[in-house]
Amino acid sequence: MTILPSFPPVHFDHGAVGALPDALAERGLKRPLIITDTGLVEVGVADRVVSAFPSTEGVTVFDGIPPNPTIGGIEAACEVYKAQGCDAVVALGGGSVLDSGKALRVAVTHPESIVEYLKDPGKITADVAPYITIPTTSGTGAEITFGGGIHPEPGAHQLGIRSPHVKPDLAICDPDLTVSLPPRLTAATGMDAFGHCIEGFLSTNINPPAEAIALDGIARVLAYIDRATANGSDREARWHMMMAALQGGMAIYMGLGPIHTLGHIFADSDLHHGALITAAAPAVMRFYADNPDAGLTDRLLRIRDVMGLQPDADIAQAITDINTRLGLSSSIRELGYPDRNLDNLTNAAMTVHFNATAPRKPTRDEYRDIIADALG
């Protein structure tokens, strides 16, 4: 039986962050902990969110979330939450902050160490803290998803947190909060959203509404990513890129595949997730082109169509060309990934849960070739 999951409610538009105080009040919440990172404090984005409140009494800001989410960051935020008597978590940031918030809402209400729930998400109950997300990048879609990745420590492989109980209660998507995002991060996060839409559409799960969303997200990224990257103050482009990121998050509900498997195994570094996904995509698309079946061939034709390509065009090369145009890499090594044993990376890839919904599951030897190709 096909079950179509529902998404959290979303407030979306320029200035939407102004709805935060009322959203909390409607839920009877008075003491939110806003988790974020130091960069967003420095550029004034955190102040913009706090200034939406008529009074800052009861509002606490924690800016200790690292660029890649860690157990240490979550535990530090948990201590502040409990010490300040907070009653809700508000995550302001990119995927690292948003995923940290998912783990934090568990940590503040559950009795064991958060690592126990990362190892066994089945232990997570509905007794979680209220959770509102406010994305400041247009890429991960983590503002509405029910999973995420947390590093036990910096540089270690991620542990997953995946449960319907960590799905945010509300997402507030305000494109104005993304205007300070630098060009390279705008491009990398935008192509991350593109990867979500590609892999969601190719997933073996059946969800025609989400498939339509994914195709529209692909087209939307390609229509606006150049403008958003070239001019961060282009509010129309920022609006569409944030919508594309949201569509990418919706596409994730269908499942992911080898592109994100590679992003997962290469995350044993401090490299940006979006940059990893962007660089890994061409190698996986080459693998699909070389190993087609009837169903996959049809889906690849539809992707070519929404990308504005000819029916026999090379999707991998088209993505590489986009990356080059945006100043992004299509080589993991070029990003600065350290030397790792290829066999160990291959073994790790074979165990990643994203493979479950891949339209063409690579064998071990095939994964070894894909990884070598992606490394460049």
Side-chain angles (χ1 to χ4, degrees):
M1 178 173 63
T2 297
I3 298 175
L4 305 183
S6 60
F7 311 122
V10 179
H11 292 176
F12 191 107
D13 207 353
H14 298 290
V17 73
L20 176 60
D22 287 345
L24 290 165
E26 289 167 3
R27 292 163 172 79
L29 304 170
K30 300 178 180 180
R31 301 187 64 82
L33 175 66
I34 300 175
I35 63 169
T36 188
D37 59 51
T38 55
L40 290 172
V41 172
E42 291 170 359
V43 298
V45 173
D47 284 343
R48 289 186 61 185
V49 174
V50 173
S51 68
F53 289 86
S55 169
T56 58
E57 183 180 358
V59 179
T60 301
V61 176
F62 174 82
D63 65 357
I65 302 298
N68 284 312
T70 62
I71 289 175
I74 293 158
E75 289 176 338
C78 185
E79 290 180 8
V80 174
Y81 185 99
K82 292 179 177 179
Q84 296 298 319
C86 298
D87 59 7
V89 176
V90 176
L92 172 71
S96 177
V97 176
L98 304 181
D99 282 353
S100 294
K102 293 168 186 172
L104 179 61
R105 73 183 307 202
V106 175
V108 299
T109 58
H110 284 57
E112 298 182 63
S113 168
I114 187 59
V115 71
E116 299 302 320
Y117 303 100
L118 296 175
K119 292 177 178 177
D120 184 5
K123 296 170 69 174
I124 298 173
T125 72
D127 180 24
V128 293
Y131 184 42
I132 294 175
T133 54
I134 307 175
T136 59
T137 66
S138 296
T140 69
E143 59 268 24
I144 61 165
T145 58
F146 55 88
I150 308 294
H151 297 263
E153 58 187 33
H157 278 295
Q158 292 178 336
L159 295 174
I161 183 164
R162 184 177 176 86
S163 166
H165 302 307
V166 304
K167 181 169 66 174
D169 300 316
L170 172 69
I172 297 178
C173 298
D174 186 340
D176 290 343
L177 299 182
T178 68
V179 297
S180 62
L181 197 65
R184 187 172 181 83
L185 279 178
T186 297
T189 54
M191 290 303 288
D192 188 20
F194 177 85
H196 294 152
C197 290
I198 289 278
E199 291 221 289
F201 180 72
L202 292 175
S203 162
T204 55
N205 282 332
I206 299 172
N207 190 333
E211 291 170 15
I213 289 170
L215 290 174
D216 187 75
I218 292 169
R220 195 180 301 271
V221 169
L222 297 185
Y224 290 96
I225 192 168
D226 289 272
R227 282 174 53 180
T229 301
N231 178 12
S233 298
D234 185 333
R235 296 176 79 232
E236 180 185 27
R238 290 294 193 184
W239 190 100
H240 282 284
M241 288 306 299
M242 180 158 275
M243 181 59 73
L246 185 65
Q247 291 175 303
M250 293 174 177
I252 289 173
Y253 276 67
M254 293 188 287
L256 294 168
I259 295 174
H260 281 77
T261 291
L262 297 193
H264 179 86
I265 65 170
F266 293 137
D268 62 342
S269 64
D270 59 359
L271 296 174
H272 183 265
H273 171 77
L276 289 173
I277 297 301
T278 299
V284 173
M285 300 311 290
R286 275 190 286 272
F287 165 73
Y288 286 153
D290 292 340
N291 298 274
D293 59 34
L296 180 56
T297 297
D298 178 66
R299 286 179 175 266
L300 293 175
L301 280 171
R302 295 184 69 186
I303 288 173
R304 290 187 183 95
D305 182 54
V306 298
M307 289 182 68
L309 303 175
Q310 294 298 313
D312 60 348
D314 185 341
I315 297 175
Q317 185 59 52
I319 295 174
T320 298
D321 292 344
I322 295 166
N323 290 343
T324 300
R325 188 174 75 235
L326 295 171
L328 301 174
S329 177
S330 297
S331 163
I332 301 296
R333 280 205 181 95
E334 191 176 87
L335 292 175
Y337 185 73
D339 286 337
R340 294 284 193 269
N341 182 278
L342 184 55
D343 288 326
N344 290 343
L345 288 171
T346 303
N347 291 339
M350 294 298 292
T351 68
V352 178
H353 67 277
F354 296 138
N355 294 312
T357 50
R360 171 79 161 77
K361 297 178 179 61
T363 64
R364 188 185 186 285
D365 287 344
E366 288 170 339
Y367 248 132
R368 197 177 193 280
D369 291 341
I370 294 169
I371 293 168
D373 185 9
L375 284 168

